[in-house]
Amino acid sequence: MSKQIARVPTYISGFLTALAGIFFFLFPEAVSGIIGLLWGIVLVVAGIAGAVDYMISIKHFKEAGYGNAAGAEIVLVYSVIISVLGIIFVFRPNLVMQLLSFTIGVYFIIDGIVKFRHSTLVPSAKDPLWYIMLMLSVALFVAGVALLINPFNGTLTVIRFAGIAFIISGIESIAEESWKKR
């Protein structure tokens, strides 16, 4: 296999990554819905698989003389719960991204508070850049609050940033492969 042919997949993957990034950046609402829909489908399939596994286990328990499910009911309950969540996400796909934004918002708030506390201890250590840590901790906290107040717009922003990262990654892959050519 020649080196030219071996480079083609890298060029294609770089191009497709950049193209996905453009799609993420220009159409974050659609991306949010697609991700939510796919996650919903995954949960429904996992729930059905778990229920089938439960039924097979019950059959094997009875055949082996163990009696009833021997505690396997929890698998059935779990399977029903994730199937119901999956169905909800299929019909309300943007809910997945809103929940993700909420979780990220809570994380940013907690992280901002922890870093704020740490940055107030740093001046005693005579660190000349302690105020940068202080400003960044406040920015984290504010970003977390913003994600909690308006999770949908926060989600769209996160998707757009992911799009920018994909574009940069795709261009970097193409450039790196082009550079190797020389």
Side-chain angles (χ1 to χ4, degrees):
M1 179 184 244
S2 75
K3 286 186 179 183
Q4 291 290 53
I5 294 172
R7 287 190 176 122
V8 171
T10 304
Y11 285 122
I12 292 171
S13 69
F15 173 75
L16 291 176
T17 301
L19 188 63
I22 291 168
F23 186 76
F24 272 51
F25 187 77
L26 295 178
F27 307 106
E29 297 91 357
V31 170
S32 173
I34 291 168
I35 291 170
L37 181 65
L38 292 175
W39 184 244
I41 291 169
V42 166
L43 288 179
V44 169
V45 169
I48 291 170
V52 168
D53 184 47
Y54 168 78
M55 290 177 201
I56 292 170
S57 295
I58 292 296
K59 181 181 176 198
H60 289 303
F61 284 144
K62 287 182 180 178
E63 288 173 357
Y66 292 124
N68 289 335
E73 297 88 4
I74 193 71
V75 173
L76 182 61
V77 171
Y78 170 76
S79 299
V80 169
I81 290 171
I82 64 170
S83 291
V84 169
L85 275 175
I87 291 168
I88 291 169
F89 292 155
V90 165
F91 289 106
R92 299 254 344 244
N94 288 333
L95 186 60
V96 171
M97 296 307 288
Q98 289 174 344
L99 290 173
L100 180 62
S101 288
F102 177 80
T103 305
I104 292 170
V106 169
Y107 173 78
F108 281 176
I109 288 172
I110 293 169
D111 197 38
I113 291 170
V114 169
K115 287 186 169 133
F116 179 82
R117 176 68 180 128
H118 179 70
S119 69
T120 59
L121 298 175
V122 172
S124 63
K126 307 290 187 238
D127 189 342
L129 300 176
W130 72 270
Y131 60 90
I132 293 174
M133 289 173 45
L134 180 68
M135 290 187 312
L136 290 174
S137 66
V138 170
L140 265 176
F141 181 82
V142 169
V145 170
L147 281 171
L148 290 181
I149 291 173
N150 195 351
F152 187 71
N153 282 339
T155 299
L156 299 181
T157 302
V158 168
I159 291 172
R160 282 192 174 109
F161 278 121
I164 291 169
F166 281 152
I167 292 168
I168 292 169
S169 176
I171 292 171
E172 186 267 337
S173 292
I174 293 169
E176 181 180 333
E177 199 57 39
S178 296
W179 185 262
K180 286 180 186 176
K181 193 179 201 180
R182 295 175 187 191

